[in-house]
Structure formats: C-alpha cells, structure tokens
Amino acid sequence: MAAFSCSLGRAFAAVSKPKHSLPSQINDRSSFISPSSQVPLKQSIIFRKTRSISPKTTKISCNLEASASSTSAKTFHGLCYVVGDNIDTDQIIPAEYLTLVPSNPDEYEKLGSYALIGLPSTYTTRFIEPNQMKTKYSIVIGGDNFGCGSSREHAPVALGAAGAVAVVAESYARIFFRNSVATGEIYPLESEVRICEECKTGDTVTIVLAESKLINHTTGKEYKLKPIGDAGPVIDAGGIFAYARKTGMIPSQAA
Amino acid sequence: MASSAFAPPSSSLISNTKDFGLSSAKCKRPAPRRIVSVMAPQQTQRTPATTGSVKTAMTMTEKILARASEKPSLVPGENAWVNVDILMTHDVCGPGSIGIFKREFGQNSKVWDREKVVIIPDHYIFTADERANRNVDILRDFCKEQDIKYFYDITDLSNFKVNPDYKGVCHIALAQEGHCRPGEVLLGTDSHTCTAGAFGQFATGIGNTDAGFVLGAGKILLKVPPTLRFVLDGEMPDYLLAKDLILQIIGEISVAGATYKAMEFVGSTVESLNMEERMTLCNMVVEAGGKNGVVPADSTTFKYLEGKTSLPYEPVYSDQSARFVSEYRFDVSKLEPLVAKPHSPDNRALARECKNVKIDRVYIGSCTGGKTEDFLAAAKVFLASGKKVKVPTFLVPATQKVWMDVYTMEVPGSGGKTCSQIFEEAGCDTPASPSCGACLGGPKDTYARMNEPQVCVSTTNRNFPGRMGNKEGQIYLASPYTAAASALTGYVTDPREFLQ
C-alpha cells in the first residue's frame, strides 16, 4: 500500500461532497465475477465506475453475480480488443471530439461512444458498433507505447466511459499512464511479452489482478503481467482525489 | 541514411558547464514526509543515475525539481512534491480541469494563486462549433470569478484583431508574454508544454485531473526523470533548421526513446540558436516520449526576456559531474534536411529521398512551425525561388504578434518586402487567424483541416493517422524550409534546391 501523504493544508477540508456514504464494497472498483462463472459475457462485463460527477450524485451501477470481498479476488472477465503499437491519443479519441468536457456527465457518456473511433479502417472490427454508446470489449490489448501523443485526459476517460476496465500493453507513454491512474478510469497493466500478437479481438480473457495474470480462455494460454503496484489502490479508489480521501491521508488542517 | 557523427554513449563529464548553486530553501512549509511513487509503472527500471559518491551532483532538471520541492538534492526515480510556478490551460482542457477543481475543492474554492494561472484560449477558436465556443465562455466565467490575472480572452470571433487580449497558441503566448523563466516549474494541460524548456526551466504536460489538483494545491507529485544528453556541435548549415535537428534525434531514438526521461540539449549549435529555434527543439521532446526538454539559459535567453518579465529568476545548470543516462553527439554540419514520413514522427527520411512523393497541400503553422522565425524561413525560400507555389499553401501564424510580424517584418535580402508580400507573390493563401488551427484537425469547419485523404507537408509536430482530420491523410513533417520548397515543386523537396 502506498504511503501517500502531503501537506496541503486546508485545501481538501473545503471539499463538500459526502465521504464514504456508500458501502466500501462498492466504493472499491473491483469486479466480483469469478473466472469460472458461466455468466453470459454481456452481463459479466457490465461494470460501471464509481465516479462522483457532482458533489451530490454518485453514479454507480453494478450487475454483479458472485460478490467476493473487495480486498481479495480482483478479476476482470470479458472480451478483448486487440490493437498494435504506438496507438496514439488521436486514434483513441480524435481531436474533433475534444469539445466534450469530461467532467460533465452527459458529455462523459458521449465521449465514451467515440472511444477508439480514430483507428484506421484496417481495423475492420470496430471497438464500438455503429449506433452503440458502449463497447462489448472490456479489455484492450496493445503493443508498445500505448497512449502516446497528446496529454488529453479524454483518452483514458473515453475508454473508461465506453466500458473498458483495463488496458494490457507492453509499455505506455507517460502522460497517458499518469492520466489513467489519476482519473481511476482504467487499469493500465503491462504485459511481459507481446500478447497483442497472441490474442485476437473477440477472445475471452480473464485478468486476475492480485496474481498479475491474464488468461486467454479462447487459446488456453496464460500470461504473466507486471504487478500494478502502487497505482492499483489509487485506481481501485476511483482516482487520485478519491484515494487521498479514502485513505485518510489528507490532513484536515495544515500539517 | 542521414549522415551524422553518432558516438556511443560516452562519459558524462562535460566541460564548460556553468555551475550555479541552489538558492536557499524558502522554509515556508514543514518538510514533506517521504512519498512513495503512485504514478509511474513498475517496469521502468532505469539505470541508476547516481552512486553514493556523486550524491549532490545533479543535472539541471534534477536541480530545478529539487529547488521547487525545497530539498537540497534529488536523484532520478525519487518522488517529490514540487511547487508550481505557472499552470497553463486552454479551451480544450480548461473546462474539464475547472470542473474537477470545483468538484474536488468545492464550488466556492479559490485557485492557489491568481497570478500563477495563465489561461489561453487557442485550440478551437475560429469555428461555429457551439461547444467549442461555449468552452471559451466557461474559461471566461471562471477567470471572472477567480479574478485570474492572465486570461487572453477573445470575444469577437469574426475578427481576431479587435480582441486586444487575445494571443493565440498557448506555448508561444507563454514565451512572448514573459511567463517562461529559467529555473522555474511550468505545467500545462497540453503535451507540447515541454516547449518552455527552451528557457532552461522544467516544463511538462499534464492531464485535467492533475491540473485540477494543481489549481487548488499549487503543487504536484512528480517523479524525477533521468536525463538524456544531446550534444549538438558544428556550424548550422544554412539549409537546416531546428526542426531538422529534432527530427534527426527522434528518428534516432524512436517515439518511445525518451519515455519518462528529460532531454537536455547542449553544444555550440544549440548555443547559436535563437529562442524560437530552441523552442522548436524542445517542442517535439514529447514526440520522443520525453517528460521534459531543457536548454541551458544564456545571454540569448536573458536578452529575449528583457522587457517581457519583471519577476526575478535564477537559472540553474547541470553540474560538471552530473550523471546522464546516455549522451548522443551530433556533428550538425553533416546533417541534411529531413522529413518524418507518415504515420509516425520517428519515421525519418531524407527530404531528397522523398522527391517523388507528389503532394496535395502544404501547411505552415502551429507551435512547432508557425512562429515568426518559421515564417521568415519560409519567406526566404519563396524569395530565393521567385516562383509560385504549385499546391495550396496554408499559413497560420501562431499568435497575434507573429501575424503582425508576418505583415511588418522585412525579409533580409528582399529589398524591403515583408513576409506577407512574399507569400502573396508566391501565391500562398492569405495568412489566417492565429490559433492551433488544423495541426490537430479540430471541428470540421477549421481552416485548412484535411477533410479528404490527401498528402500534406506540414511544419507541425505529429503525423499519426487522422491527426489533421482525415484518417487516410498522409502527413510529412518537415521544417519551414522544406515545406516551402515542397510547395514550390508540388513534391516533397529538399530546400537546397532553392537555397544553394
């Protein structure tokens, strides 16, 4: 668990939103589906983020079957969408959609509907079907330098808003990685090998976060992932602000 | 293959570096407790840049961050809470950052320092897109409410000239308005914030959430990057520009070659560059994955800053025994004009080897290639040729000041003609309203947006698929010299065709 402290004085004490008004199970961003469940894929991947859009409302909806303890089994199960190297932020969310403001709930949803729309037409299977707002692929598998290019936070936000829960790439560009963690929108996981060459779009995969493992059920292969480390708890909590409040690390007055 | 004297990483001892000590710690706050990283991926196992024996020798990036975090020293890999001197945002990311700031700090919260937040609408300005226009209004409302000192507003979109406060492209405006100062920490909600490193400061791009945090707290948690050193020596040939130098470097190390690292540019060639050329160099650091770029401040820097800023500043310089991850040396006199072919900034090729590539248009603009020096360079080529362009040639000055320079500055050797006159005689499009323009596509009605699958030579910074609009568009990144030369022939062209 990261030791995260800062001397920010009274800044955070001014926050007016309710803290911890929800059961900790739901505050934790874990998927509770066990790998062996026979739940139809569509249901098992419907996992909404715990995301406070305004001080009063907290948008939560979880279609959960088995519900495990929030601190043990963290698994993501669903279909994967495979992309290549150097997927830059213009491909993840083209600039023309940046007029949408992510902190606005309606525009957040709209942003999600455009996730990965910038991929060239060589990607014949699209991340989101036409006339759909959400993706059926909860896991994106990429190659090197995922998220390179612009610093636009709209990139991880669009992926998260679309319904993705994790990206598994060989490596990341730093601003994209940082934005993913700060927003808590998706888990930016790293693979040890080039799994983008061994998985195909539509494969069923499970990620067991606690074991840093990805299982491709379609091919039967398992892959080691690099541990998410300190970034994990931040994303679990829902981003850097939520994490700082949840862990009680923000002093209520000047240190 | 571009010829360059490329030496393997050599020792890190550099001669002739000045060594300024750190200013004394301000001791305003109690020392922060030790922080463990929450931001970087585990896999970045960088070579340790220091050993016990050189604990206090630091690169200039390390020194800037140490001073800003009120610590006597820092080593790469360490995390530090860094005080921010300037936070910049624009119309695309500002509203989102403001939304997060208000959500997290409270609707009635005040920014940490109304003089350190610089808000610059520049991306989607001259458009009928209602959301884009609304985003500028959001910035205005916030600036009024917070009494933000530096807000470069625009209200009349039909004529940029009647908006006295409006500047244009944020990175150029920051420099022209004196917000870039040696030794400081400047953050911006834009990846090309690294441009400001040309002033010998730490400057990098951040997302909305980080910016929302800084708006309230005035600090940010950063991991200290190790530094790659690029030594550029030799006399700059008169057909080469800083754009060629950075394309050379990115082609060398790839789009991920500097990920999580600082890029330090030194050497006699760098010292000979003016500020705008240094900005071009640092601007594309992010295209190599770099965290920040730095050029040591010198008399060129100080002269530029005269009359622009009244705030005191103290430059810092890398220690003689500072450790660098690697050092790359280039003999600039041997380099040739380059392009980055579609679809990656590291897809380097010699301009002369692409002379059979037929093009449909040329774009000269953006923070990378739309500054006064860039237009002067393009004008030089058109002047040398005396002919007209063969393809539509779009000119988008970065800021109001650049636009005015284009219309008033005399081009050397032209007998008193301004850039604008030369452009007109060459048949270029009329210089457009200053903004980011079509560098990143933008709303569909953006001037010079690539709406068809065409081939474009551009002085901008990225050429990933769809960057300027159409997903099948082919963008060749180039210097203003190369762009102008290509406009004259209708093919990708080495500027030596006209400049020698």
Side-chain angles (χ1 to χ4, degrees):
Chain A
M1 198 69 152
F4 184 106
S5 67
C6 54
S7 50
L8 294 174
R10 298 194 312 271
F12 278 100
V15 175
S16 57
K17 65 185 277 252
K19 298 180 210 188
H20 309 305
S21 53
L22 303 151
S24 60
Q25 230 177 316
I26 300 181
N27 256 349
D28 247 296
R29 296 183 63 258
S30 315
S31 163
F32 302 105
I33 314 295
S34 68
S36 59
S37 98
Q38 297 300 309
V39 174
L41 288 171
K42 230 177 162 71
Q43 268 179 279
S44 70
I45 59 168
I46 296 174
F47 175 79
R48 300 281 145 81
K49 317 273 172 282
T50 302
R51 184 184 173 86
S52 298
I53 306 295
S54 71
K56 289 283 187 290
T57 62
T58 307
K59 192 160 115 172
I60 307 219
S61 86
C62 299
N63 286 357
L64 305 170
E65 294 286 318
S67 135
S69 148
S70 57
T71 49
S72 54
K74 286 183 171 72
T75 50
F76 308 126
H77 179 76
L79 302 179
C80 71
Y81 187 87
V82 183
V83 295
D85 294 319
N86 299 316
I87 299 299
D88 75 295
T89 46
D90 275 292
Q91 292 181 68
I92 298 173
I93 186 78
E96 65 191 277
Y97 304 112
L98 298 184
T99 49
L100 296 164
V101 177
S103 51
N104 178 318
D106 298 324
E107 298 186 18
Y108 171 83
E109 295 294 330
K110 261 195 104 103
L111 207 56
S113 71
Y114 297 121
L116 287 172
I117 203 172
L119 288 174
S121 49
T122 43
Y123 286 85
T124 47
T125 308
R126 308 305 295 179
F127 186 62
I128 300 178
E129 320 259 295
N131 304 318
Q132 294 291 311
M133 294 286 285
K134 302 282 178 195
T135 182
K136 58 184 196 188
Y137 308 96
S138 55
I139 291 153
V140 176
I141 295 183
D144 273 319
N145 205 18
F146 188 91
C148 60
S150 162
S151 64
R152 63 191 70 158
E153 202 170 83
H154 307 67
V157 169
L159 290 172
V165 293
V167 178
V168 183
E170 259 186 287
S171 65
Y172 292 90
R174 57 164 289 270
I175 308 180
F176 178 87
F177 184 93
R178 198 185 164 94
N179 288 343
S180 301
V181 177
T183 57
E185 283 287 342
I186 49 161
Y187 287 83
L189 302 168
E190 290 171 85
S191 59
E192 300 267 359
V193 298
R194 272 181 82 72
I195 63 171
C196 59
E197 282 175 8
E198 301 190 25
C199 298
K200 295 221 304 291
T201 296
D203 285 353
T204 305
V205 304
T206 299
I207 296 174
V208 187
L209 208 57
E211 292 174 37
S212 300
K213 184 162 69 172
L214 182 146
I215 306 160
N216 184 326
H217 299 288
T218 308
T219 62
K221 284 184 154 179
E222 278 190 22
Y223 302 92
K224 195 104 189 50
L225 302 175
K226 296 190 179 152
I228 186 75
D230 294 339
V234 178
I235 304 169
D236 291 344
I240 197 75
F241 284 105
Y243 177 82
R245 272 191 296 274
K246 177 183 176 186
T247 52
M249 288 292 187
I250 299 165
S252 54
Q253 59 204 29
Chain B
M1 185 63 188
S3 56
S4 62
F6 178 79
S10 60
S11 95
S12 56
L13 294 178
I14 312 292
S15 59
N16 300 327
T17 47
K18 302 180 193 103
D19 188 357
F20 280 53
L22 296 175
S23 63
S24 57
K26 290 193 184 108
C27 299
K28 273 195 201 144
R29 296 188 174 86
R33 282 170 283 173
R34 203 164 161 274
I35 311 292
V36 173
S37 165
V38 293
M39 283 302 185
Q42 297 284 66
Q43 59 101 275
T44 346
Q45 295 302 323
R46 293 181 283 275
T47 320
T50 59
T51 64
S53 60
V54 289
K55 231 182 241 193
T56 53
M58 292 186 278
T59 65
M60 57 187 286
T61 297
E62 290 154 26
K63 280 193 180 178
I64 295 169
L65 295 178
R67 186 166 76 186
S69 58
E70 297 168 35
K71 292 185 168 178
S73 71
L74 285 174
V75 299
E78 259 193 89
N79 295 284
W81 280 100
V82 172
N83 295 323
V84 178
D85 293 293
I86 297 281
L87 173 71
M88 180 279 295
T89 190
H90 48 53
D91 55 299
V92 165
C93 295
S97 305
I98 291 166
I100 291 170
F101 165 69
K102 286 180 168 288
R103 185 186 77 206
E104 302 293 346
F105 288 92
Q107 292 295 324
N108 299 320
S109 252
K110 293 290 176 213
V111 300
W112 100 97
D113 190 322
R114 59 171 284 275
E115 297 196 12
K116 295 187 175 173
V117 180
V118 183
I119 300 194
I120 314 181
D122 65 349
H123 274 59
Y124 302 155
I125 305 301
F126 305 104
T127 171
D129 186 303
E130 282 177 3
R131 265 202 308 259
N133 299 334
R134 169 211 61 178
N135 289 345
V136 180
D137 294 339
I138 293 176
L139 296 183
R140 186 177 311 110
D141 292 342
F142 183 72
C143 288
K144 277 203 183 106
E145 168 203 300
Q146 299 280 333
D147 193 23
I148 297 292
K149 185 170 180 185
Y150 302 107
F151 172 48
Y152 301 128
D153 195 9
I154 179 165
T155 46
D156 187 342
L157 305 180
S158 66
N159 181 4
F160 71 90
K161 286 172 250 174
V162 305
N163 299 277
D165 295 332
Y166 179 69
K167 307 293 169 200
V169 176
C170 57
H171 309 300
I172 313 309
L174 281 172
Q176 290 177 338
E177 297 305 306
H179 295 301
C180 302
R181 288 173 289 268
E184 291 195 359
V185 171
L186 186 152
L187 304 176
T189 57
D190 192 89
S191 60
H192 293 108
T193 307
C194 48
T195 306
F199 290 84
Q201 63 178 146
F202 178 89
T204 195
I206 57 175
N208 296 358
T209 301
D210 274 332
F213 186 95
V214 175
L215 278 171
K219 316 164 92 97
I220 189 168
L221 183 62
L222 285 177
K223 186 179 255 233
V224 178
T227 302
L228 297 173
R229 192 171 240 214
F230 297 90
V231 186
L232 303 165
D233 282 317
E235 194 176 321
M236 188 81 153
D238 56 15
Y239 44 81
L240 228 54
L241 290 169
K243 179 69 171 278
D244 296 295
L245 302 180
I246 191 65
L247 286 180
Q248 178 76 31
I249 292 171
I250 296 170
E252 206 68 55
I253 68 177
S254 92
V255 288
T259 300
Y260 283 99
K261 299 188 176 74
M263 294 174 72
E264 188 173 306
F265 303 103
V266 296
S268 58
T269 318
V270 177
E271 288 164 27
S272 75
L273 297 176
N274 58 45
M275 285 315 298
E276 291 200 341
E277 284 279 85
R278 295 178 187 191
M279 286 162 67
T280 304
L281 206 55
C282 291
N283 173 279
M284 288 184 72
V285 154
V286 65
E287 267 54 81
K291 185 157 182 160
N292 69 298
V294 276
V295 174
D298 57 13
S299 54
T300 306
T301 324
F302 307 141
K303 190 139 203 320
Y304 181 94
L305 286 173
E306 268 171 38
K308 289 196 175 68
T309 182
S310 53
L311 293 181
Y313 55 84
E314 192 177 321
V316 295
Y317 301 90
S318 293
D319 291 324
Q320 279 217 357
S321 51
R323 299 286 288 250
F324 298 89
V325 174
S326 342
E327 189 178 279
Y328 298 80
R329 290 182 168 271
F330 294 87
D331 180 353
V332 170
S333 65
K334 298 198 164 65
L335 300 183
E336 299 183 67
L338 297 170
V339 293
K341 298 187 295 186
H343 298 276
S344 176
D346 67 2
N347 195 3
R348 182 183 67 184
L350 290 173
R352 61 174 165 82
E353 286 182 348
C354 298
K355 62 181 186 210
N356 293 322
V357 176
K358 193 167 194 308
I359 66 175
D360 300 303
R361 46 164 57 199
V362 167
Y363 185 93
I364 301 179
S366 85
C367 50
T368 316
K371 307 182 284 298
T372 301
E373 289 298 322
D374 301 310
F375 286 105
L376 278 172
K380 199 164 138 187
V381 173
F382 291 129
L383 183 70
S385 152
K387 301 273 192 338
K388 285 190 181 296
V389 296
K390 297 222 162 69
V391 294
T393 302
F394 305 104
L395 311 172
V396 186
T399 63
Q400 282 226 42
K401 185 175 187 310
V402 174
W403 188 94
M404 292 208 298
D405 287 344
V406 164
Y407 275 89
T408 57
M409 275 181 86
E410 285 179 14
V411 179
S414 69
K417 287 187 188 163
T418 61
C419 290
S420 56
Q421 286 172 310
I422 293 172
F423 293 146
E424 193 178 5
E425 283 169 14
C428 301
D429 264 38
T430 309
S433 303
S435 78
C436 297
C439 169
L440 72 163
K444 292 259 170 26
D445 64 346
T446 303
Y447 174 76
R449 187 182 194 277
M450 204 196 304
N451 294 320
E452 317 279 310
Q454 293 183 314
V455 183
C456 176
V457 173
S458 175
T459 64
T460 55
N461 44 59
R462 291 199 190 109
N463 57 351
F464 295 116
R467 173 68 180 173
M468 294 186 86
N470 190 289
K471 269 197 257 185
E472 271 78 54
Q474 314 251 321
I475 302 163
Y476 287 75
L477 302 177
S479 78
Y481 281 162
T482 305
S486 305
L488 288 165
T489 64
Y491 291 80
V492 174
T493 302
D494 187 306
R496 284 175 287 189
E497 299 288 317
F498 299 99
L499 289 178
Q500 277 188 329

